[in-house]
Amino acid sequence: MFRGGQSAHTLAGFNWSDYAEKRSPRTMDKFNMGKKGLNLGKSVHSTNSNAEYLFLVNPSSGKASIQKKRDLVSKVSRHSNAITLISESEDHASQLAKDAMLEGRIVVACGGDGLQNIVAQQAIDTGGVMSVLPFGRGNDFAASMQIRSFRDTELAIKNGVVQHARYVNVEFSDYSRICLTCAGVGLLSDASLRASRLPLLKGKALYTVAALISLMKLKCHRYTLSFDDVELQKELLILVGAASECTGGGVRIAPDAKSEPDRLNVLFATSQGRTSAIKLLVKALSGKHLAHDKVESNFHERCRIACENDNYGASLVYGDGEYLGVLPASLQIGNKPLRVLVPNANA
């Protein structure tokens, strides 16, 4: 996802003004920096006109050249107090986002769902504010925030509306991760892995092709599921814990995800043959799969997933198109605020 580069510990005591003066012209553009200012409220609030921004760019996301990305960032940031940095690794991006937020800057994640996840984690940990300039091949989180192009990011900065976003907290045995859209196992993980290896395609087409390839080698696995106080075992094709409606570049896998804001939408499809699974995929592309007799969709406070299968792939947990960890894992809606700058209050 990122090119190798500077490790996070070298950025301790990071001084933004010094960095701006000593920057490499190939990795950073400096814009006018004014006074910082955030007006933090509860569910929806606004930034003021003096807010400062960091546009954090993943150079390897999507298909656009680095020059095109820089041009778009310049266009979006031209009326704001902003600097632009090019991330060199996941650790580098995480540290830059953290330091900027601790300085009171709004961090705009210029990349795909992977970079947005990294920046969101720091926004949650620091209480900072983020926004998105979508450069990736999926961009499901950006779309859920009504940000589909650079014009939407411009509007978000202009309007200054900050809204709390839902996300999934995924807890493993010795660490936790967040997922901004949908996390899960089975077909979701297999298709996400294959999508990361497919060139050229993007959006729904990319993940549809990846899912079809996965279904040609169809494997269902037996999982132990714990929903609140109920435990059961199921042979499953896929299981998803959803914070928002879409995954896979616009596939509406959880159309009802936001209908119960404080609870996790858990969906799964039980074991079935290849032909039935392909028909189910076709229905899922338009969000009409919930009526399928092999699909169950419910809301829970928490979902715990375990797998005794010897197949390592059965235990892989993916979210936002990225590898998150290995089962067992617990999923629930995150309870710490994630503040996102959006075009309007209806995101």
Side-chain angles (χ1 to χ4, degrees):
M1 176 178 137
F2 288 92
R3 297 170 184 170
Q6 189 172 359
S7 61
H9 73 273
T10 63
L11 294 168
F14 189 76
N15 185 304
W16 286 93
S17 58
D18 288 347
Y19 193 79
E21 294 301 323
K22 298 175 182 178
R23 73 191 188 281
S24 163
R26 291 180 298 174
T27 60
M28 179 177 176
D29 294 323
K30 183 174 182 295
F31 297 89
N32 179 41
M33 296 174 64
K35 295 181 179 179
K36 297 182 286 293
L38 296 178
N39 176 21
L40 298 180
K42 293 186 178 180
S43 59
V44 178
H45 55 274
S46 300
T47 64
N48 67 40
S49 59
N50 291 324
E52 290 183 359
Y53 297 84
L54 166 64
F55 284 77
L56 183 57
V57 182
N58 178 3
S60 58
S61 64
K63 298 190 293 183
S65 68
I66 185 62
Q67 186 57 53
K68 184 173 182 179
K69 291 173 182 175
R70 288 164 66 90
D71 290 345
L72 282 173
V73 169
S74 296
K75 182 179 294 187
V76 172
S77 63
R78 65 189 183 279
H79 298 307
S80 60
N81 301 320
I83 58 173
T84 300
L85 293 174
I86 308 298
S87 62
E88 298 175 348
S89 68
E90 293 185 24
D91 285 345
H92 187 220
S94 179
Q95 190 66 44
L96 289 175
K98 177 180 179 179
D99 289 340
M101 288 176 180
L102 290 175
E103 289 284 333
R105 289 170 172 79
I106 297 171
V107 178
V108 182
C110 308
D113 289 323
L115 178 64
Q116 292 157 27
N117 184 295
I118 290 170
V119 173
Q121 182 68 70
Q122 292 304 327
I124 293 166
D125 291 345
T126 65
V129 178
M130 69 172 291
S131 193
V132 176
L133 180 55
F135 285 156
R137 297 202 290 168
N139 300 316
D140 290 301
F141 175 66
S144 74
M145 296 290 101
Q146 304 302 315
I147 299 176
R148 295 180 172 84
S149 73
F150 74 91
R151 293 182 180 85
D152 295 322
T153 308
E154 284 183 314
L155 189 60
I157 292 172
K158 177 182 177 181
N159 291 345
V161 176
V162 177
Q163 185 161 305
H164 288 186
R166 282 162 46 94
Y167 62 94
V168 181
N169 193 53
V170 186
E171 296 180 0
F172 297 97
S173 57
D174 55 354
Y175 69 96
S176 65
R177 292 284 302 274
I178 64 165
C179 171
L180 301 176
T181 55
C182 301
V185 295
L187 179 61
L188 182 138
S189 293
D190 195 84
S192 295
L193 176 59
R194 294 181 189 279
S196 68
R197 298 172 177 174
L198 289 174
L200 303 178
L201 296 174
K202 63 181 294 186
K204 190 183 293 188
L206 169 64
Y207 289 91
T208 300
V209 170
L212 285 171
I213 295 172
S214 296
L215 290 176
M216 296 308 294
K217 301 180 179 181
L218 179 67
K219 291 182 180 179
C220 297
H221 307 288
R222 191 166 187 81
Y223 295 95
T224 300
L225 311 176
S226 300
F227 302 120
D228 306 325
D229 295 326
V230 178
E231 182 175 297
L232 64 155
Q233 291 188 334
K234 291 278 188 179
E235 191 86 12
L236 300 180
L237 171 66
I238 185 173
L239 182 143
V240 174
S244 59
E245 294 93 337
C246 294
T247 191
V251 178
R252 296 188 69 239
I253 197 167
D256 299 331
K258 293 184 179 180
S259 62
E260 295 194 29
D262 297 326
R263 300 212 294 168
L264 180 71
N265 188 194
V266 179
L267 308 94
F268 58 79
T270 54
S271 179
Q272 55 199 278
R274 183 177 293 109
T275 301
S276 175
I278 292 174
K279 289 180 179 179
L280 177 59
L281 173 62
V282 172
K283 288 181 177 293
L285 293 175
S286 57
K288 298 179 180 178
H289 56 293
L290 297 187
H292 194 283
D293 60 0
K294 295 288 188 179
V295 174
E296 293 187 30
S297 174
N298 293 288
F299 290 85
H300 301 280
E301 297 292 334
R302 177 186 290 265
C303 171
R304 186 178 187 278
I305 316 166
C307 181
E308 304 299 329
N309 198 306
D310 291 335
N311 186 318
Y312 178 71
S315 295
L316 298 179
V317 182
Y318 270 69
D320 299 335
E322 304 285 329
Y323 169 79
L324 299 181
V326 177
L327 295 178
S330 293
L331 284 64
Q332 65 183 104
I333 294 297
N335 55 20
K336 292 183 178 180
L338 170 56
R339 299 179 174 93
V340 183
L341 193 66
V342 296
N344 58 71
N346 296 319

